[in-house]
Amino acid sequence: GCVLVVSVIEQLAQWHNSTVKAAVERLCDYIPGKYQIMCHMSRCIDKEMNADVVCHSLRLCKQDPGQPLCHLYSPPKLYPLCELMHPSAFIFLPLQKSFMGFSSVCAFPLLANLCEKIKFVLRNKLPFEDFDGDKFSTFPTLRGYHWRGRDCNDKNTTVYPGRRPDNWDAKSDSNCNGIWGVDPKDGIPYEEKFCKGADSRGVVLLGDSAGAHFHIPPEWMTVTQMSAKSFANLPMAFSDEFDWPQFSEITGFLNSTIGGWTDSLYLRLRKRNRCNHRDLQNISQNVYFPINIAPYLSFSLARNQLLDNPAIVIYATIGNDVCNGERDTLAQMTTPKEMLSNVVQALRYLDTHLPNGSHVILTGLVDGRFLWDNLHDRYHPLGQLNKDVMYSQVYSFLDCLQVSPCSGWLTPNETLRNLTSERALQLSNVLKEIARSEKFANFDIFYMDFPLRQTAEEWRKMGGEPWQLIEPVDGFHPSQIAAALGTGITWQKALHEWPQVLGKENPFNDQIEAIFKDQGGH
């Protein structure tokens, strides 16, 4: 983090031909007030020293005994890192106190309960603000309605998206799809008239950071594009864990503000049947190690087997089972035996909680060799101004720090990249076999490969380049373009091979929109 911030400050000074102090002040003017903790570095930065030098001098970076020296830029020729900038002690102490204070604030008795609630919410992927405890919220972030359909009554636990209507919602909207009341012409409730027998269903994603749509805006570290407007979305991004599920491939519902366009399985299901409005859940998490989804499903999943509509569940942990930042990365990968156990355990739980008539789609793992092949010799946003930082350097820096999102694929070691893809294929084959052989009482089960190859082909036909399908800052996750194109490919496969999954097209959609257009907001 320090290296990124100092790099931006130094490049701001260069781009605007200003002093470092002026560049820091400029950056702090851009960043919303409470996120300015790194703005106290101004006295520690010298144009002659690169970001690695500054951060080691601040002691925010260190070299452990017996470990390599981690650096993003070429090592300086003139200065030993740890002996530079002796005045930094004056800056280090308040900085250290700031960071330590942030982590120890939970020690205060009055805040202890709040901290425990925050930890519980983050661990179990639940809304922080949920007054009735139904796992749905009227607040957008902190796992609110960016992640799940928006609650329309947060004081009534029996009112939430996805449930079957209570008495056909003649008096109020119990399922938050905006359709309620009685037609004065014939006395029939609108929900009964438009949604009865319409095969209403929701969509639930069980995923990883790709499914949550992890994204760091490149304008945050590209000084030629930087302005106060660039950081306007920082508070929202921070409280959504730097995920953007509202634009994601499975549960996106808002027009994208981060490039590309939004197309999602949820939006297509809603267009097919307006009665599906707001019935979405994105239960994904940002981790860089294998995920066993089953243990947290009991806290996270909101589906009542007796009261709610069926759901389409997408099980898509497309990389975590082979991706980790460990030096012995192959030894830390999920084995086929572990994969079988974890997935079957999750499916058995789903069978006891999903309404009858639901569907589960298992998505295979991605072939991550695509990343190195298309990015390693391109300049990272941090390196575009001076042509001095390529993705290969970023990957090596993260790997050295042992925080690489995927040591097996983000590496110059071709043998290791091939072995990682080999394990990914083995695990995909486990999923394929589960879909072929396992049977469950309340849902049928399907398998599809992660459509990276088809997505790249589609994008080439549109005149695009493969590297544009990858998030530019982390060089790892699918971009907004990749997410939107992937949706179309998944939809076409379901339409032709598993039409029962998508439900019927509702012939009353236009009438619903005409009557309830003012109640259709997300």
Side-chain angles (χ1 to χ4, degrees):
C2 176
V3 170
L4 294 178
V5 172
V6 174
S7 296
V8 169
I9 290 170
E10 291 180 337
Q11 290 184 28
L12 271 174
Q14 177 186 347
W15 180 248
H16 293 282
N17 195 25
S18 71
T19 64
V20 168
K21 182 178 180 181
V24 173
E25 291 171 353
R26 183 186 298 273
L27 180 62
C28 291
D29 285 342
Y30 292 163
I31 297 175
K34 63 182 179 179
Y35 298 90
Q36 293 182 0
I37 189 171
M38 299 296 278
C39 289
H40 302 292
M41 291 185 179
S42 57
R43 285 184 288 160
C44 302
I45 303 174
D46 188 303
K47 281 187 177 179
E48 301 302 318
M49 303 173 186
N50 68 34
D52 296 312
V53 175
V54 172
C55 293
H56 277 267
S57 301
L58 286 168
R59 303 179 202 173
L60 292 174
C61 294
K62 63 178 182 176
Q63 181 181 8
D64 289 335
Q67 296 294 325
L69 176 66
C70 300
H71 57 90
L72 180 61
Y73 298 89
S74 299
K77 298 177 181 178
L78 301 177
Y79 312 105
L81 290 179
C82 296
E83 295 176 9
L84 277 167
M85 300 180 65
H86 56 86
S88 65
F90 297 105
I91 304 298
F92 169 67
L93 191 57
L95 269 177
Q96 185 187 46
K97 287 181 178 177
S98 295
F99 285 108
M100 293 300 291
F102 181 78
S103 61
S104 62
V105 68
C106 293
F108 290 100
L110 293 176
L111 296 176
N113 289 339
L114 178 63
C115 289
E116 283 304 310
K117 181 179 178 182
I118 292 172
K119 290 177 184 176
F120 179 83
V121 163
L122 292 177
R123 183 170 61 247
N124 295 296
K125 322 303 167 207
L126 294 172
F128 179 79
E129 189 177 277
D130 176 19
F131 295 110
D132 57 12
D134 60 8
K135 302 181 182 178
F136 295 90
S137 177
T138 58
F139 190 74
T141 61
L142 292 172
R143 294 275 169 174
Y145 67 76
H146 282 173
W147 300 83
R148 300 166 184 260
R150 184 173 183 169
D151 204 342
C152 53
N153 186 342
D154 208 19
K155 296 179 181 179
N156 187 337
T157 191
T158 66
V159 175
Y160 54 86
R163 67 157 292 168
R164 296 192 183 104
D166 179 20
N167 194 29
W168 292 113
D169 284 357
K171 295 184 178 180
S172 63
D173 189 6
S174 67
N175 57 15
C176 302
N177 68 359
I179 304 170
W180 65 282
V182 175
D183 189 339
K185 296 176 183 177
D186 53 23
I188 299 175
Y190 287 114
E191 180 91 38
E192 181 179 5
K193 178 177 287 191
F194 296 143
C195 300
K196 185 178 182 180
D199 277 352
S200 298
R201 62 200 59 206
V203 60
V204 178
L205 173 65
L206 308 179
D208 51 22
S209 53
H213 200 35
F214 185 85
H215 167 80
I216 297 175
E219 57 268 25
W220 287 4
M221 54 188 66
T222 308
V223 297
T224 56
Q225 303 173 15
M226 194 175 294
S227 67
K229 185 179 178 182
S230 304
F231 293 94
N233 53 18
L234 176 58
M236 181 187 70
F238 185 79
S239 54
D240 264 336
E241 305 162 49
F242 296 102
D243 294 320
W244 308 73
Q246 67 273 31
F247 307 140
S248 64
E249 179 176 349
I250 303 299
T251 63
F253 60 88
L254 293 178
N255 291 331
S256 173
T257 60
I258 56 174
W261 65 97
T262 302
D263 188 4
S264 71
L265 182 59
Y266 163 73
L267 282 178
R268 292 192 177 220
L269 285 169
R270 183 189 182 280
K271 183 177 180 181
R272 190 173 180 83
N273 180 3
R274 173 59 177 74
C275 301
N276 294 330
H277 183 59
R278 289 190 188 176
D279 195 356
L280 64 102
Q281 297 178 54
N282 190 318
I283 306 174
S284 300
Q285 57 179 336
N286 295 338
V287 293
Y288 298 112
F289 50 80
I291 300 175
N292 183 3
I293 286 177
Y296 67 82
L297 272 178
S298 59
F299 296 102
S300 308
L301 180 67
R303 214 69 180 177
N304 186 303
Q305 201 163 38
L306 299 178
L307 298 179
D308 296 350
N309 286 320
I312 304 170
V313 177
I314 311 295
Y315 189 109
T317 56
I318 65 171
N320 286 69
D321 288 286
V322 296
C323 284
N324 56 74
E326 302 294 334
R327 293 281 161 80
D328 57 341
T329 181
L330 290 171
Q332 303 301 320
M333 294 178 186
T334 300
T335 65
K337 184 177 179 180
E338 291 168 337
M339 188 73 165
L340 176 64
S341 174
N342 292 345
V343 175
V344 169
Q345 184 183 355
L347 292 174
R348 286 174 179 165
Y349 178 86
L350 290 174
D351 200 31
T352 63
H353 286 76
L354 291 179
N356 190 262
S358 294
H359 310 277
V360 173
I361 299 174
L362 304 178
T363 303
L365 279 69
V366 69
D367 184 350
R369 289 176 293 192
F370 185 91
L371 302 169
W372 181 270
D373 291 347
N374 289 287
L375 281 185
H376 78 276
D377 57 355
R378 297 189 62 83
Y379 289 110
H380 186 270
L382 275 180
Q384 288 175 5
L385 182 64
N386 296 311
K387 308 301 180 190
D388 57 351
V389 178
M390 289 187 166
Y391 281 94
S392 56
Q393 291 168 255
V394 175
Y395 295 156
S396 296
F397 180 52
L398 296 176
D399 190 52
C400 180
L401 293 170
Q402 298 181 44
V403 294
S404 172
C406 198
S407 296
W409 277 324
L410 308 183
T411 173
N413 186 332
E414 183 179 6
T415 300
L416 182 55
R417 298 199 304 271
N418 289 338
L419 288 171
T420 303
S421 288
E422 184 179 315
R423 175 61 60 86
L425 180 59
Q426 292 171 357
L427 299 182
S428 294
N429 286 335
V430 170
L431 296 174
K432 192 180 296 186
E433 178 58 22
I434 290 173
R436 188 193 67 81
S437 61
E438 296 286 338
K439 305 297 178 187
F440 297 91
N442 290 304
F443 58 82
D444 48 15
I445 186 167
F446 306 93
Y447 169 85
M448 70 172 291
D449 290 320
F450 185 82
L452 180 60
R453 181 179 56 80
Q454 300 98 306
T455 300
E457 289 176 358
E458 190 73 22
W459 185 232
R460 283 193 189 96
K461 291 177 185 175
M462 297 170 67
E465 298 286 342
W467 57 268
Q468 295 169 312
L469 300 174
I470 307 168
E471 278 292 324
V473 172
D474 62 60
F476 178 65
H477 292 93
S479 69
Q480 183 69 28
I481 294 170
L485 291 174
T487 297
I489 294 167
T490 300
W491 183 265
Q492 288 303 316
K493 181 176 178 66
L495 207 56
H496 290 105
E497 297 183 24
W498 328 309
Q500 71 273 30
V501 170
L502 305 179
K504 297 181 295 188
E505 195 150 359
N506 192 329
F508 300 109
N509 282 336
D510 290 342
Q511 290 176 255
I512 296 171
E513 287 295 343
I515 297 172
F516 297 100
K517 60 183 177 181
D518 294 330
Q519 301 183 41
H522 283 87

